[in-house]
C-alpha cells in the first residue's frame, strides 16, 4: 500500500548513517517496478549480518535506485525453531 515501508536487502557492512546506497538490480526492480516507490518514500534495509536501517529513497528510475540511510539499529538474528 502507498505510504508503507518497503524492505530491501543490502550488502553486509554497508549500512552507515548518512550514507547513500545504490541498490542492486533485483532490489532496484522490486522498489521501482513491483512496489512503485518514489523519491522520499520510506525504505527499511537489512544487511543479513545483524544490522537494520531506515532511510528514504533519494533517487529512483529505470536504471538506478539510491537510498539515504537515516537510522541504524542492530537486530537479533532469527533462529529457526525445530519442533
Amino acid at each position: 500500500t502507498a505510504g508503507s515501508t518497503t524492505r530491501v536487502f543490502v550488502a553486509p557492512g554497508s549500512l552507515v548513517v548518512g550514507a547513500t546506497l545504490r541498490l542492486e538490480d533485483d532490489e532496484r526492480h522490486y522498489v521501482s517496478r513491483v512496489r512503485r516507490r518514489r523519491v522520499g518514500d520510506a525504505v527499511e534495509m537489512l544487511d543479513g549480518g545483524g544490522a537494520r536501517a531506515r532511510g528514504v529513497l533519494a533517487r529512483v528510475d529505470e536504471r538506478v535506485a539510491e537510498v539515504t540511510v537515516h537510522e541504524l539499529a542492530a537486530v537479533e538474528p532469527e533462529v529457526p525453531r525445530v519442533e
Side-chain angles (χ1 to χ4, degrees):
T1 62
S4 66
T5 301
T6 298
R7 182 177 287 171
V8 296
F9 297 95
V10 297
S14 64
L15 296 175
V16 177
V17 173
T20 298
L21 305 178
R22 181 173 285 198
L23 300 180
E24 297 293 328
D25 286 341
D26 288 344
E27 298 297 336
R28 179 209 39 84
H29 174 79
Y30 176 69
V31 167
S32 66
R33 296 291 187 162
V34 176
R35 295 297 304 253
R36 298 177 188 227
R37 297 304 179 197
R38 301 287 177 244
V39 170
D41 286 348
V43 177
E44 179 179 59
M45 296 155 280
L46 302 170
D47 76 353
R52 176 182 67 204
R54 294 185 189 275
V56 297
L57 278 170
R59 177 179 174 191
V60 61
D61 58 38
E62 292 181 10
R63 296 183 184 169
V64 176
E66 294 178 336
V67 181
T68 301
V69 179
H70 289 285
E71 178 184 330
L72 183 62
V75 293
E76 292 292 323
E78 291 187 25
V79 178
R81 291 179 56 185
V82 178
E83 295 183 26

